[in-house]
Amino acid sequence: MTSAMRYLSHTPDDIREMLEVIGVKSIEKLFDSIPLDVRRDSEIDIEPRSEWRLSREFEEMAGASNLVAFVGAGSYAHYVPAHIPYLASRSEFLTAYTPYQPEISQGTLQAIFEFQTMTASLLGMEIANASMYDGASSLAEAALMAIRVKKKPKIAVSRLNHPHYLQALRTYLRPTAFEVVELEARVDGTTDYAAMPDDVSALVVQSPNFLGVIEDLKAAAEAAHSKSALLVVSFAEAMSWGLLKNPGSQGADIVSGEGKSFGIPHSFGGPGVGMLACKKDFVRAIPGRLVGETVDKNGERAFVLTLSAREQHIRREKAVSNICSNSGHNALIAAMYMSTAGREGLREIAQLNHDKAVYLKTGLEKVGFKPLFDVPFFNEFAMTAPAGFEKRHEALLERGFFAGLKLDLFPEYQDPRYKDAYLFCATEAHTRDILDAFFATFTILKEVA
Amino acid sequence: MKSFEELDIRDDLFYAQTHEWVKKTGGNARIGVDDYAQSSLGDVVYVELPSMGTAVTAGASFGSLESTKAVSDVNSPVTGKIVAVNEALSDNPDLVNTSPYEDGWIIEVEMADSKELDALMKSDAYLAFLKTLDPVD
């Protein structure tokens, strides 16, 4: 992306003038309302650098991460078509302006409306909001939303949700009176619903789940609905819906997930975009913003924020949710990606993902890996490594290949059945040359060892 | 927003400072919002209704009314148990605007203590109270 805007600090004169205008004596007085114990009282320890040196440092860092990673785990390596950064960095789109005043922000509102429409269509739902921060916050908000709708004291959550999403969910619910009941995995890598209590507002299942396994969402919907609970379907890999049956058609009531796969760069794990969609019946319980289409007084098509009377900026402490800002610019990027790929394009890219992953899995089996589960997957799967792999994992890293993510790095997977298990992923970005080079390197290392 | 002369404030009802009315029918209290409240709110587009059997406390919120510009709580002027809910409001929330005292009623409460009604205002006192309020935004 081009960076036309530079950071210019305020001079002491600027600061004095600004304080004068708002009628405050000092900076100290300006921050009076912030308690002292949450304020930093020392200088931030950063060595000053010239812009030239800073750019070089970042370029070096970018170069260092220029390795081939066969890892997804919530952040997938997808090709970003050149038109996306070009269009998205146009100054018309890069405004920090929030679209409260429809008369001057029709373009932003329309872009968000398109994002909502395509999100709802992709997920097979009736309503989608104007984006959440990311997949994790979206999942936590979806759980709270289900509680608002069903008013029952518990939430049943599959432990096969992304560990970070689970962490966000636990954090959101910790100060509330609502209990999170975690459901364990079956031996086939799918969620076991048997332990679901009766008084749950929702069952939360991720598909494909963290181990890459595609869950039977129809069965999940039956399990949830038999207890008069909602089915919340979560996802970390939006691209999978290009190939899999959408959650709406399988009986989902609320769907939440991460849309980073649609044209948004990794950015060192940086900002993603949360997707949240639901059935029309729950429109008044959905958090955040909704943009609606209407007509103005001249009968022209126009866009406005709707149902915002429940939002934080109007109803404050009684708002449906305190999430207010959204990942607006990333939602715009995701909308650009979805609209330019189109339904067929998305399907093709998704199919490529699956094919590459199958190729990777077959190759790994040839060099001694054993699949953890014999079930359908999309672009990610778990395998048990042959003896001595941990050392070779390091040697591969030195040669530019990040060969899988060790599962027991996560507290959820410190269980004997995941011993020496790694999570692998291949996408359309992994060309056949790359995959073959990886296998060749692996074989050479094996012979050396 | 109506002027005081245009307001329909009825003599057979009790009124709360938060602009709900109560009509006593035996041991039950039928509750809605009055003409002043509905005209201040503007077009009501959604009524959040409580469930049957829920306990309500005098002065506490039991639901909310959503107009195009705001969401306002509706408080119960009496303590008791909800024995009827006006389900017609789910599909036709505008009944609150068009018929606040008849078709736009919201809930009926079996009162725990009908003496609580004595703490509410009759129409004269209520009108006098309304005139002390700032013009509604």
Side-chain angles (χ1 to χ4, degrees), chain A residues 233-381:
Chain A
V233 171
S234 153
F235 62 89
E237 173 51 302
M239 191 65 80
S240 64
W241 304 121
L243 207 57
L244 305 179
K245 279 186 191 157
N246 65 47
S249 68
Q250 307 299 295
D253 299 290
I254 304 173
V255 186
S256 76
E258 172 62 62
K260 198 169 182 172
S261 289
F262 294 154
I264 298 161
H266 286 297
S267 308
F268 297 94
V273 59
M275 295 173 133
L276 184 64
C278 66
K279 289 182 175 163
K280 206 173 177 179
D281 288 351
F282 313 137
V283 67
R284 284 190 160 77
I286 201 169
R289 294 183 181 150
L290 281 177
V291 175
E293 185 189 336
T294 182
V295 284
D296 67 10
K297 67 173 186 176
N298 303 320
E300 307 263 3
R301 187 180 187 223
F303 301 91
V304 287
L305 286 181
T306 59
L307 294 159
S308 52
R310 272 162 204 280
E311 241 210 291
Q312 186 262 137
H313 69 276
I314 293 181
R315 223 185 169 212
R316 299 189 177 91
E317 78 281 2
K318 287 203 168 168
V320 150
S321 152
N322 280 317
I323 206 161
C324 58
S325 180
N326 56 33
S327 297
H329 193 250
N330 279 354
L332 174 86
I333 292 176
M336 285 173 174
Y337 187 97
M338 286 190 274
S339 59
T340 49
R343 200 177 288 267
E344 287 308 305
L346 217 54
R347 197 190 151 78
E348 273 174 45
I349 300 166
Q351 182 68 52
L352 266 175
N353 272 258
H354 183 62
D355 295 348
K356 296 293 172 74
V358 169
Y359 190 75
L360 175 63
K361 187 171 172 235
T362 312
L364 287 169
E365 280 178 284
K366 277 184 199 154
V367 294
F369 283 83
K370 288 200 172 59
L372 215 54
F373 316 109
D374 182 25
V375 285
F377 62 95
F378 174 60
N379 64 2
E380 203 166 13
F381 50 88

Side-chain angles (χ1 to χ4, degrees), chain A residues 127-314:
Chain A
I127 303 271
N129 77 2
S131 84
M132 302 266 94
Y133 301 136
D134 53 25
S137 58
S138 184
L139 174 65
E141 290 283 353
L144 291 174
M145 182 180 164
I147 291 171
R148 283 195 291 278
V149 171
K150 284 292 177 183
K151 301 187 172 74
K152 292 197 274 178
K154 292 175 188 164
I155 285 279
V157 184
S158 162
R159 261 172 94 83
L160 293 166
N161 272 279
H162 192 296
H164 295 167
Y165 294 16
L166 285 173
Q167 222 177 327
L169 177 76
R170 293 180 195 126
T171 306
Y172 265 62
L173 278 124
R174 192 176 302 138
T176 72
F178 305 107
E179 188 190 337
V180 179
V181 179
E182 302 192 5
L183 303 177
E184 298 295 332
R186 289 199 195 98
V187 284
D188 67 353
T190 62
T191 305
D192 189 353
Y193 312 122
M196 182 165 54
D198 287 324
D199 50 351
V200 287
S201 282
L203 165 63
V204 184
V205 180
Q206 179 180 320
S207 187
N209 66 32
F210 188 66
L211 300 179
V213 177
I214 297 164
E215 296 269 4
D216 181 349
L217 295 179
K218 250 195 176 135
E222 274 164 28
H225 297 157
S226 75
K227 301 208 189 280
S228 180
L230 301 183
L231 173 65
V232 177
V233 171
S234 153
F235 62 89
E237 173 51 302
M239 191 65 80
S240 64
W241 304 121
L243 207 57
L244 305 179
K245 279 186 191 157
N246 65 47
S249 68
Q250 307 299 295
D253 299 290
I254 304 173
V255 186
S256 76
E258 172 62 62
K260 198 169 182 172
S261 289
F262 294 154
I264 298 161
H266 286 297
S267 308
F268 297 94
V273 59
M275 295 173 133
L276 184 64
C278 66
K279 289 182 175 163
K280 206 173 177 179
D281 288 351
F282 313 137
V283 67
R284 284 190 160 77
I286 201 169
R289 294 183 181 150
L290 281 177
V291 175
E293 185 189 336
T294 182
V295 284
D296 67 10
K297 67 173 186 176
N298 303 320
E300 307 263 3
R301 187 180 187 223
F303 301 91
V304 287
L305 286 181
T306 59
L307 294 159
S308 52
R310 272 162 204 280
E311 241 210 291
Q312 186 262 137
H313 69 276
I314 293 181

Side-chain angles (χ1 to χ4, degrees), chain A residues 58-72:
Chain A
F58 274 117
E59 273 160 27
E60 278 170 14
M61 279 165 81
S65 72
N66 200 11
L67 56 86
V68 180
F70 296 105
V71 171

